[in-house]
């Protein structure tokens, strides 16, 4: 497991916390590997009846740690840990609940498409700046966001990389529940307790039915996106965009 990830198993729940608050939970390759391992492990554990995701500190997840992501990727692009995680989420047959706050950037937003329930507080802000970095979307978001929000709104999110808040996320269905100020953890506990009170086999079967009919299509779109994403990683456009990103961040700092 990564030092920047906490995984706690208790009372039928696997709690996963991104724990790199000093970097706003920017996700490293090691963290992706640990996340994938945790979700895959839960699939084979009949005692786990719910999976939760949270972020420590001011943000849920600031997307990829770009420097680490580019330097630590395996040469075999099929083994890139982020894609292993996304496949695990798409194939998971255990209810997944995410509680989000602050910035949810890139995969911090797209991974929510594969959660069954998402709670957000007023501070939550979602953005997918893939194009700004010379990249393309992942997590089948290029298919799922147009279906969720409509093509025009999805174009705002993915082509223009416009951010949006918790109210809009609730309106389009990315978020299922709103938490009162300071009440995010309490709302998460409430929802998890409600899930755990249900008959476990009926819950699993219903969760599976909710995903039946779309899973193969999602995995096919993920594969298409990942092939384009891998090609983009070695492009001059990406190198220029990421250099500009770091230059801008340095000037702000």
């Amino acid at each position: 497991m990564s030092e920047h990830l906490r995984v706690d198993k208790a009372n039928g729940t696997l709690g996963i916390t991104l724990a790199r608050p000093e970097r706003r939970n920017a996700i490293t390759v090691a963290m992706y590997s640990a996340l994938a391992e945790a979700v895959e492990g839960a699939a084979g554990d009949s005692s786990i009846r719910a999976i939760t995701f949270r972020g420590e500190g001011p943000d849920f997840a600031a997307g990829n740690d770009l420097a680490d992501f580019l330097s630590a990727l395996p040469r075999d692009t099929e083994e890139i840990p982020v894609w292993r995680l996304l496949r695990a989420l798409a194939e998971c047959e255990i209810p997944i609940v995410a509680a989000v706050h602050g910035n949810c950037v890139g995969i911090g937003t797209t991974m929510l498409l594969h959660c069954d329930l998402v709670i957000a507080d007023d501070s939550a802000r979602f953005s997918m700046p893939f194009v700004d970095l010379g990249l393309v979307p992942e997590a089948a978001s290029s298919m799922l966001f147009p279906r969720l929000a409509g093509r025009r709104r999805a174009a705002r999110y993915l082509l223009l990389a416009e951010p949006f808040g918790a109210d809009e996320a609730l309106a389009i269905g990315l978020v299922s529940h709103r938490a009162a100020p300071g009440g995010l953890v309490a709302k998460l506990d409430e929802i998890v307790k409600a899930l755990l009170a249900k008959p476990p086999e009926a819950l699993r079967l219903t969760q599976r039915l909710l995903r039946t009919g779309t899973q193969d299509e999602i995995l096919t779109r993920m594969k298409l996106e990942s092939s384009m994403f891998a090609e983009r990683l070695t492009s001059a456009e990406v190198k220029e965009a990421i250099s500009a990103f770091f230059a801008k961040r340095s000037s702000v700092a």
Side-chain angles (χ1 to χ4, degrees):
M1 284 293 173
S2 166
E3 63 179 309
H4 300 302
L5 195 74
R6 288 203 312 274
V7 180
D8 304 298
K9 179 182 171 183
N11 303 319
T13 302
L14 186 74
I16 301 173
T17 303
L18 302 175
R20 200 184 180 207
E22 72 282 2
R23 294 298 301 275
R24 297 185 176 274
N25 296 325
I27 305 175
T28 65
V29 171
M31 290 170 70
Y32 278 123
S33 294
L35 284 162
E37 182 180 329
V39 176
E40 290 168 351
D45 188 338
S46 60
S47 71
I48 295 175
R49 297 170 55 196
I51 298 172
T52 66
F53 282 101
R54 293 177 54 199
E56 184 178 298
D59 298 297
F60 176 66
N64 292 319
D65 181 312
L66 291 174
D68 176 85
F69 192 75
L70 293 176
S71 65
L73 285 177
R75 292 184 179 182
D76 184 351
T77 56
E78 289 297 317
E79 298 302 319
I80 291 179
V82 60
W83 297 332
R84 180 182 160 201
L85 168 64
L86 292 173
R87 286 194 298 267
L89 291 174
E91 294 172 346
C92 187
E93 295 188 350
I94 301 169
I96 303 173
V97 186
V100 303
H101 67 289
N103 288 306
C104 306
V105 181
I107 195 168
T109 291
T110 60
M111 68 177 289
L112 303 178
L113 294 165
H114 304 284
C115 297
D116 297 289
L117 297 166
V118 179
I119 311 158
D121 68 13
D122 287 341
S123 70
R125 191 162 180 80
F126 307 87
S127 62
M128 294 173 286
F130 300 109
V131 170
D132 291 350
L133 295 171
L135 296 168
V136 296
E138 27 80 315
S141 58
S142 64
M143 179 182 78
L144 295 174
F145 262 107
R147 290 184 179 180
L148 194 68
R151 182 182 170 190
R152 302 294 180 239
R153 193 172 284 186
R156 285 173 44 206
Y157 303 153
L158 294 171
L159 293 179
L160 294 176
E162 289 185 6
F164 56 100
D167 286 338
E168 190 163 339
L170 183 66
I172 66 172
L174 177 65
V175 164
S176 59
H177 296 78
R178 287 291 302 276
L184 188 63
V185 174
K187 189 66 176 179
L188 175 63
D189 289 344
E190 174 190 325
I191 288 173
V192 169
K193 285 178 182 177
L195 288 172
L196 296 179
K198 308 293 183 186
E201 190 60 19
L203 193 68
R204 278 183 181 255
L205 289 172
T206 300
Q207 196 265 9
R208 184 188 303 172
L209 286 168
L210 284 169
R211 296 181 178 224
T212 297
T214 60
Q215 189 177 79
D216 288 345
E217 193 177 8
I218 285 170
L219 292 171
T220 297
R221 179 59 65 96
M222 281 186 182
K223 188 173 182 179
L224 175 61
E225 290 174 343
S226 65
S227 66
M228 291 185 180
F229 198 104
E231 290 175 0
R232 297 300 301 160
L233 286 174
T234 60
S235 70
E237 196 171 62
V238 165
K239 292 175 183 176
E240 290 173 8
I242 291 178
S243 293
F245 170 82
F246 282 118
K248 182 178 180 181
R249 190 174 70 176
S250 296
S251 66
V252 170

